[in-house]
Amino acid sequence: MSLGDLIKQHSMKSIQAMKLPELMEAEVVSEPPDLKLKLKGSDKLIIPKELIVVAERLCRVKRKVNLTNSGKTTIGAQTFSGNTDPSQAIPHTHPYSVEVKLADKDFSLEEGELHYINDDKKDDLLKKGDKVMVITFEGGQKFFVFDRIVTY
């Protein structure tokens, strides 16, 4: 074996020993909280939830937020209407209608909640059949799901 081959062989062993992260495509076969993944090209190997780490944005669909806007707010008018409830004092109903519109007003929302939904108006959590991109680390002992894959 030549010196060049020995250097090449040693270099390859060093790279393999580093256990570099690897990108892999996977499919969700079981939804959270009992999340399981199947790696592309390996129909028999199912990755259990104990070995999976998921990006937070794929886990939660509601977030607390604070919003502030000064003077440039334009929120279209919204009308609330209905009928009053009858009572013993007034045994009949009255119709009502109230229009609320914010235009060029200061606006502040504290501890509001955003609810993330997908194009189908459903929660944007991982679902069975979703294709995801996974990074393997710790020598293939952990799998980090960092995003959903969309193909066109």
Side-chain angles (χ1 to χ4, degrees):
M1 184 177 282
S2 72
L3 180 61
D5 289 337
L6 283 173
I7 292 172
K8 183 178 177 182
Q9 184 181 17
H10 180 68
S11 297
M12 293 300 288
K13 284 182 182 180
S14 295
I15 290 172
Q16 291 170 350
M18 286 193 285
K19 298 179 181 175
L20 297 172
E22 184 179 349
L23 285 174
M24 303 180 85
E25 186 178 334
E27 180 180 339
V28 175
V29 294
S30 181
E31 297 178 6
D34 190 32
L35 182 63
K36 293 179 184 165
L37 301 175
K38 177 178 66 174
L39 298 177
K40 184 176 182 179
S42 180
D43 290 338
K44 295 182 182 181
L45 179 63
I46 303 296
I47 310 300
K49 67 181 179 180
E50 294 79 15
L51 302 179
I52 301 171
V53 179
V54 180
E56 183 181 25
R57 71 177 178 277
L58 296 172
C59 298
R60 293 175 48 202
V61 294
K62 293 182 180 179
R63 302 271 172 94
K64 293 279 185 184
V65 294
N66 293 329
L67 298 175
T68 303
N69 190 2
S70 299
K72 298 273 185 186
T73 304
T74 303
I75 297 176
Q78 185 168 358
T79 303
F80 301 93
S81 59
N83 292 309
T84 59
D85 291 330
S87 66
Q88 288 181 344
I90 304 172
H92 57 277
T93 62
H94 292 275
Y96 67 86
S97 180
V98 177
E99 181 178 272
V100 178
K101 182 177 180 181
L102 293 176
D104 298 323
K105 304 287 183 191
D106 291 346
F107 176 79
S108 179
L109 171 67
E110 293 185 21
E111 295 274 333
E113 189 171 85
L114 288 179
H115 186 178
Y116 292 92
I117 56 175
N118 60 23
D119 292 337
D120 297 329
K121 307 291 187 243
K122 297 179 183 170
D123 290 339
D124 204 17
L125 298 172
L126 291 174
K127 303 276 190 273
K128 184 177 180 176
D130 280 352
K131 305 288 189 230
V132 293
M133 188 57 68
V134 175
I135 300 174
T136 63
F137 57 100
E138 291 184 14
Q141 299 303 308
K142 286 280 187 184
F143 299 84
F144 173 55
V145 179
F146 71 93
D147 215 344
R148 186 176 285 108
I149 298 173
V150 179
T151 56
Y152 298 100

